[in-house]
Amino acid sequence: MAALIAENFRFLSLFFKSKDVMIFNGLVALGTVGSEELFSVVAFHCPCSPARNYIYGLAAIGVPALVLFLIGVIWNNHTWNLVAECHKRGTKNFSAAATFLLFGSIMGRASVAPITWSVISLLRGEAYICALSEFVKPSSLDKFPAEYGAEVLAKIPCRDVPANLTKFRDEVTRRLRYESQLFGWLLIGIVAVLIFLTKCLKHCCSPLSYRQEAYWAQYRSNEDKLFRRTAEVHSRILAAKNVKQFFGFVALDKEEKELVQEFPVEGVQPSPQWNAITGVYIYRENKGFPLYSRLHKWAKGVEGNGPTPEGHELLFLAS
């Protein structure tokens, strides 16, 4: 039993540490679903008032989606690579296709959470019913009393209507929920088709084979892991060295003492080197040999980032 539990925890650990884009997007979508459910239960309360329903209903769908989109843009490494690229080198090395693909990558990745939020909101139907109940035409309802208008229809989401309008309340709610869920399923279909076409276009336009693209993604993931791990150790050793120089000693635990002894740090990397490995990377081949990252290109001593006559250009889209 203990072995089974340990194996399950090991699987979950590998699952959540995975850099696979589909898994990451799936986790984002699941988190968004949970947040939307919590929001609907705790925070969503239709005002049931003419003119206010529409604004509140649209805000309940659109504002959280906008916030999630901005968070997605902020958390995307490509965003800050693009900022660094524009700040240090400008976009002179970018072709129109590369620029389009870069923005498409940023926007597409950032759209996972807001689209999920919008779809779940539409499938639930509460915000849509709140927003559009007052716009239902009384003439479309069979035998609807003429003395009632938009003010009463606006109260339908709160079920605060006269007893003689109960059957109309159910009909309006059913009709608007149908429309809302229809739009939700259409949005799912449109997004699925766009994802399929984008994947097909990406693989058709790529100068790399499928296996080389897989290797490229693995290389970038491993490079990023090793770089972060090494940077953490390097900065700790450098900090220890500077603290010791200031105080005359430094309080290190056993592991840190071993690190200081094993990896002597003589200095820091100059700014030009940091600039050389920072920014957007356009895939290149130098004399037929692939360069998989800015760090790889710097290590090989290759200058520039633009396309060359003997090279290929492909925007780096992997995480």
Side-chain angles (χ1 to χ4, degrees), residues 12 25 27 36 65 73 82 100 121 138 210 251-252 256 275 291 308:
L12 290 175
N25 290 344
L27 292 176
E36 204 281 336
V73 172
L82 177 62
F100 174 79
S121 297
Y210 175 78
L252 301 175
E256 289 170 335
N275 293 336
L291 300 173
T308 58

Side-chain angles (χ1 to χ4, degrees), residues 164-196:
N164 62 326
L165 297 182
T166 301
K167 65 176 183 178
F168 298 106
R169 180 195 66 197
D170 295 338
E171 182 179 350
V172 170
T173 300
R174 184 166 53 251
R175 180 187 302 181
L176 293 178
R177 179 169 283 111
Y178 154 76
E179 293 178 0
S180 179
Q181 292 182 348
L182 177 61
F183 289 139
W185 289 118
L186 287 176
L187 181 57
I188 291 175
I190 292 172
V191 171
V193 171
L194 287 177
I195 292 175
F196 173 75

Side-chain angles (χ1 to χ4, degrees), residues 33-112:
V33 170
S35 301
E36 204 281 336
E37 291 291 332
L38 180 63
F39 173 81
S40 297
V41 173
V42 177
F44 185 82
H45 299 287
C46 185
C48 295
S49 174
R52 296 180 181 178
N53 281 16
Y54 184 70
I55 297 176
Y56 185 83
L58 292 184
I61 298 175
V63 173
L66 176 61
V67 172
L68 290 171
F69 177 78
L70 294 177
I71 292 175
V73 172
I74 292 172
W75 278 359
N76 194 324
N77 291 334
H78 293 326
T79 302
W80 307 115
N81 283 335
L82 177 62
V83 172
E85 185 74 23
C86 293
H87 177 66
K88 297 297 182 182
R89 289 172 287 270
T91 58
K92 59 183 179 180
N93 294 325
F94 289 178
S95 67
T99 303
F100 174 79
L101 286 174
L102 175 61
F103 278 102
S105 173
I106 295 174
M107 298 300 133
R109 192 76 63 84
S111 298
V112 174

Side-chain angles (χ1 to χ4, degrees), residues 13-276:
S13 176
L14 292 174
F15 179 82
F16 284 107
K17 288 180 180 179
S18 173
K19 296 297 184 179
D20 185 83
V21 174
M22 295 300 293
I23 293 178
F24 175 78
N25 290 344
L27 292 176
V28 171
L30 287 176
T32 306
V33 170
S35 301
E36 204 281 336
E37 291 291 332
L38 180 63
F39 173 81
S40 297
V41 173
V42 177
F44 185 82
H45 299 287
C46 185
C48 295
S49 174
R52 296 180 181 178
N53 281 16
Y54 184 70
I55 297 176
Y56 185 83
L58 292 184
I61 298 175
V63 173
L66 176 61
V67 172
L68 290 171
F69 177 78
L70 294 177
I71 292 175
V73 172
I74 292 172
W75 278 359
N76 194 324
N77 291 334
H78 293 326
T79 302
W80 307 115
N81 283 335
L82 177 62
V83 172
E85 185 74 23
C86 293
H87 177 66
K88 297 297 182 182
R89 289 172 287 270
T91 58
K92 59 183 179 180
N93 294 325
F94 289 178
S95 67
T99 303
F100 174 79
L101 286 174
L102 175 61
F103 278 102
S105 173
I106 295 174
M107 298 300 133
R109 192 76 63 84
S111 298
V112 174
I115 288 177
T116 303
W117 178 279
S118 301
V119 167
I120 297 301
S121 297
L122 290 172
L123 292 180
R124 287 180 62 88
E126 293 180 357
Y128 188 90
I129 293 172
C130 176
L132 296 181
S133 61
E134 64 181 286
F135 297 104
V136 175
K137 295 182 179 180
S139 59
S140 65
L141 302 173
D142 187 32
K143 298 181 180 179
F144 187 83
E147 63 271 19
Y148 298 115
E151 186 173 348
V152 172
L153 290 172
K155 297 180 179 180
I156 284 179
C158 298
R159 299 182 178 274
D160 185 18
V161 295
N164 62 326
L165 297 182
T166 301
K167 65 176 183 178
F168 298 106
R169 180 195 66 197
D170 295 338
E171 182 179 350
V172 170
T173 300
R174 184 166 53 251
R175 180 187 302 181
L176 293 178
R177 179 169 283 111
Y178 154 76
E179 293 178 0
S180 179
Q181 292 182 348
L182 177 61
F183 289 139
W185 289 118
L186 287 176
L187 181 57
I188 291 175
I190 292 172
V191 171
V193 171
L194 287 177
I195 292 175
F196 173 75
L197 294 177
T198 301
K199 295 291 288 185
C200 291
L201 183 63
K202 177 179 180 292
H203 287 292
C204 289
C205 297
S206 173
L208 306 181
S209 66
Y210 175 78
R211 289 188 180 275
Q212 189 176 7
E213 281 198 22
Y215 178 86
W216 187 13
Q218 290 175 345
Y219 171 84
R220 288 290 299 186
S221 177
N222 289 325
E223 181 190 85
D224 184 66
K225 290 177 184 177
L226 292 173
F227 188 91
R228 290 176 182 272
R229 192 186 308 164
T230 305
E232 195 276 333
V233 173
H234 186 280
S235 62
R236 187 185 302 183
I237 296 173
L238 180 63
K241 180 180 178 181
N242 294 333
V243 171
K244 182 177 181 180
Q245 184 174 353
F246 183 82
F247 286 107
F249 73 96
V250 59
L252 301 175
D253 58 28
K254 182 179 179 180
E255 179 184 355
E256 289 170 335
K257 289 179 181 178
E258 294 176 353
L259 289 175
V260 171
Q261 294 175 359
E262 185 177 359
F263 306 111
V265 173
E266 300 299 333
V268 296
Q269 289 68 33
S271 294
Q273 290 186 6
W274 286 103
N275 293 336

